[in-house]
Amino acid sequence: MAINEMKRGMFPKKSLGQNFLVNKGVARKIAECSLAPNCSAVLEIGPGLGALTLELARVFKKVVAVELDSGLIEPLLANLNAAAVSNVTVINGDILKVDLESLFAKEFAGMGVVCASNLPYYITSCVLVRLLESNLGLMAITVMTQKEMAFRLCAELKTKGLGAISFCVRYYSVPKLLFLVSPGSFRPVPKIESAVVRFEMLIEPSVGTVDKQFMFDLIRAGFGQRRKMLLNSLSHSMGLDKRKLEIVFAELGINRLSRPEQLDLVDFAGLADKLLGDFEGKEGAGL
Ligand code: SAM
């Protein structure tokens, strides 16, 4: 499909991550892997020319697809019409700005919903954090992204290759790397390999903490200087007292020399709960 469009003089926009899927088998596999029990609807991000959309339309009762590039809407609708697909609603908008709560209330009332996407890779983290943190009641998120990013998203805690986002993923979901996809499955052919990842959303977050935002601030502060000892990073970037940090680390049984990737979510939740009062005190003191 994308090949035809390109023959007709349509040039994909690199700036919008437009590498279109031309491998039908991969599109079908992603659509089938996106299913969840009692789910009849799917939010698709970046339908492009509709390679994945068509397969999603076969598997789900209703598809709502949000595409940023207004120049793609007409060819996308034409491709859906040509395939006699009538269960897809296309919205021209930016997934990072669309009011998702209103969209869900309007389009998906009473339906079990999942998300599926061949993501524009340049916004993978922002989109995922937005979806994971949302209260949309999504049951699962299945996305294709860059292979290295997929490994990071699925990294087990306390292993190498972790990033701050790996904690966000594991706070809200159980991630699973499904399969790799070679560059030849796209047009234009990208220089990178891709992978499909599924996030099974948890009903309750995986750990309890008084202030999850503060916990994520600590995680981000740690990974902002990942080669440094966490205790030093927290002291420098959050203005927390080093002596107090040493006491709290000892109370929680965390080695004071630890680097951020040596902690898990329970450790960070513990730190957040014990340090919140001190941090609020600092904030109040104008630090
Ligand atoms: N789903 C199609 C496929 O598999 O062939 C296209 C995937 S392409 C990797 C990413 C798509 O996301 C492009 O169509 C691009 O225009 C769209 N896109 C980029 N940024 C977006 C945003 N902020 N909101 C919605 N769509 C976006």
Side-chain angles (χ1 to χ4, degrees):
M1 190 188 293
I3 296 170
N4 289 339
E5 257 83 19
M6 280 181 234
K7 278 184 192 154
R8 274 185 241 128
M10 200 211 89
F11 295 103
K13 297 187 179 96
K14 213 173 166 186
S15 63
L16 294 184
Q18 290 180 356
N19 293 95
F20 299 110
L21 197 52
V22 291
N23 183 329
K24 251 188 161 188
V26 170
R28 181 157 300 171
K29 213 163 149 189
I30 297 175
E32 282 162 6
C33 291
S34 308
L35 274 166
N38 303 319
C39 255
S40 53
V42 60
L43 170 72
E44 187 193 5
I45 299 164
L49 294 165
L52 178 58
T53 322
L54 285 173
E55 298 302 327
L56 291 170
R58 285 185 228 286
V59 171
F60 291 89
K61 208 166 144 193
K62 177 161 190 177
V63 182
V64 174
V66 179
E67 171 57 56
L68 176 60
D69 186 352
S70 55
L72 287 181
I73 303 297
E74 214 182 288
L76 170 62
L77 292 174
N79 288 335
L80 295 174
N81 276 340
V85 165
S86 58
N87 57 341
V88 177
T89 303
V90 175
I91 294 172
N92 184 199
D94 182 341
I95 195 63
L96 296 174
K97 295 190 185 146
V98 166
D99 178 350
L100 289 174
E101 286 193 1
S102 307
L103 184 147
F104 269 55
K106 182 167 173 247
E107 302 287 349
F108 295 133
M111 301 176 102
V113 189
V114 295
C115 175
S117 174
N118 171 13
L119 278 175
Y121 296 174
Y122 74 108
I123 50 168
T124 298
S125 309
C126 301
V127 171
L128 281 177
V129 170
R130 182 157 199 226
L131 293 177
L132 290 166
E133 286 185 343
S134 72
N135 284 323
L136 299 167
L138 280 171
M139 290 175 164
I141 303 168
T142 306
V143 297
M144 178 140 61
T145 187
Q146 197 170 343
K147 187 177 83 176
E148 290 71 22
M149 182 59 163
F151 287 161
R152 173 159 290 188
L153 293 169
C154 297
E156 294 281 351
L157 299 188
K158 292 196 170 183
T159 61
K160 285 224 177 296
L162 277 182
I165 194 162
S166 322
F167 285 84
C168 181
V169 162
R170 296 218 175 239
Y171 181 74
Y172 291 107
S173 75
V174 178
K176 191 172 177 199
L177 189 82
L178 297 183
F179 56 91
L180 301 181
V181 181
S182 65
S185 294
F186 305 88
R187 290 294 181 278
V189 179
K191 289 196 180 75
I192 48 153
E193 279 189 82
S194 302
V196 178
V197 181
R198 180 180 163 95
F199 306 94
E200 203 72 46
M201 297 298 288
L202 295 168
I203 293 165
E204 292 289 332
S206 58
V207 293
T209 181
V210 177
D211 185 333
K212 71 175 178 194
Q213 232 32 67
F214 181 58
M215 180 184 76
F216 285 120
D217 287 345
L218 296 179
I219 293 171
R220 269 191 295 272
F223 280 89
Q225 301 170 298
R226 57 186 304 141
R227 301 210 183 287
K228 277 195 176 177
M229 288 188 293
L230 178 65
L231 196 145
N232 288 337
S233 311
L234 295 185
S235 159
H236 289 149
S237 4
M238 314 251 335
L240 292 160
D241 180 64
K242 223 169 171 176
R243 184 73 202 116
K244 176 68 195 278
L245 283 167
E246 283 176 349
I247 295 168
V248 168
F249 271 51
E251 281 172 359
L252 294 169
I254 303 169
N255 187 327
R256 60 183 292 285
L257 305 177
S258 298
R259 296 184 200 287
E261 68 267 19
Q262 291 172 298
L263 275 69
D264 62 17
L265 265 167
V266 174
D267 296 325
F268 274 109
L271 286 176
D273 291 351
K274 282 188 179 277
L275 293 168
L276 183 61
D278 296 78
F279 185 68
E280 283 171 343
K282 290 242 173 272
E283 278 188 316
L287 289 168

